[in-house]
Amino acid sequence: MPNQYQYVKVFAPASVANVSCGFDVMGLALDHPGDEVVARRTEEPGIQITRVTGENGVLPTSVSENTAGVAVRALLGHLGSDVGIELEVHKKMPLGSGLGSSAASSVGAVVAVNRLLGLPCTSDELLTFAAEGERVACGTPHLDNVAPSLFGGFVFIRSREPQDVIGLDCSKPLFATVVHPQIEIRTEDTRKILRRNIPLQKAVTQWGNIGGLVAGLLKGDYELISRSMQDVIIEPIRSVLIPSFAEVKEAALDAGALGSGISGSGPSIFALSRDNETATAVGKVMQHEYEEIGLDNEVYISPINKEGPRILEEVQL
Ligand code: HSE
């Protein structure tokens, strides 16, 4: 019987959803940044969010409005449990940045509570509960941030209902560069502006690229990864909301990135490179573009996180 705990603190990683051509079906996890979530047992039944730090305390502590609270409520509802749980959510990355911030909090929360309770739920069940957090954050329970944050690595979502999620193990190293220009874009808003119908020729190009990207990752073929990282459907619409998008992307490719695009729904822009040195050089030129127009920004350089969430501290019952 697995141990039960009084207190568990979990790190859950940020993620890059879509990865250019894979709108809603592809995502990757970063080693850093990530959110930290504490779960603690209490005498009083039910869920309480006692602290939210980072992001200037703008996030709600009401369980039904906070992604972590909603995700844990779904978990306890599934178990039919009224155990008393206090949550603390420590935001370590910006909201509305395209780094999967809400997903990381939901994933951290369900992983921490599942461990607290002696692992009653499977990872696939945790994915469903974390997706409920995504539903409250942006209106749809898409899995392309929660799945990589929960499982680590590159993840391909063949289907959301029924849930069919496949981990893609890239046999070659890959490093991500993510530049976050300090403006906020709400995923919910950027989904509303997308077209509902797609010309057949564009759809053919897009599914050619997603197949190529999956094959490139599995074969460890950098050239195939590079030529497949093209998004002809979503990027042309959303990129107009991101200052200097074309310049930043071009600078990343010129500096040696394999590909570059919008991270999730933006405004962050990501690039993938073969090694840390290239990823660092790519980060410098991307940042330079924002310095040119006087826009504050942050850059993150990270290998792909292969493990998903990490237990940082725990106290046994
Ligand atoms: N696939 C989602 C979207 C990810 O692009 O709207 C949001 O982070």
Side-chain angles (χ1 to χ4, degrees), residues 17-18 23-24 98 100 134 142 144-145 187 190-191 238 264-265:
N18 301 338
F23 177 70
D24 277 3
E134 237 13 9
H142 56 264
D144 51 344
N145 287 116
T187 299
T190 63
R191 293 181 80 85
R238 283 180 167 171
S265 57

Side-chain angles (χ1 to χ4, degrees), residues 15-18 22-26 97-103 134 138 140 142-145 187-188 190-191 194 234 238 262-266:
S15 49
V16 171
N18 301 338
F23 177 70
D24 277 3
V25 299
M26 186 99 171
S97 59
L99 281 160
S101 173
S102 54
E134 237 13 9
C138 61
T140 35
H142 56 264
L143 301 177
D144 51 344
N145 287 116
T187 299
E188 195 172 358
T190 63
R191 293 181 80 85
L194 299 177
I234 310 295
R238 283 180 167 171
I262 304 172
S263 180
S265 57

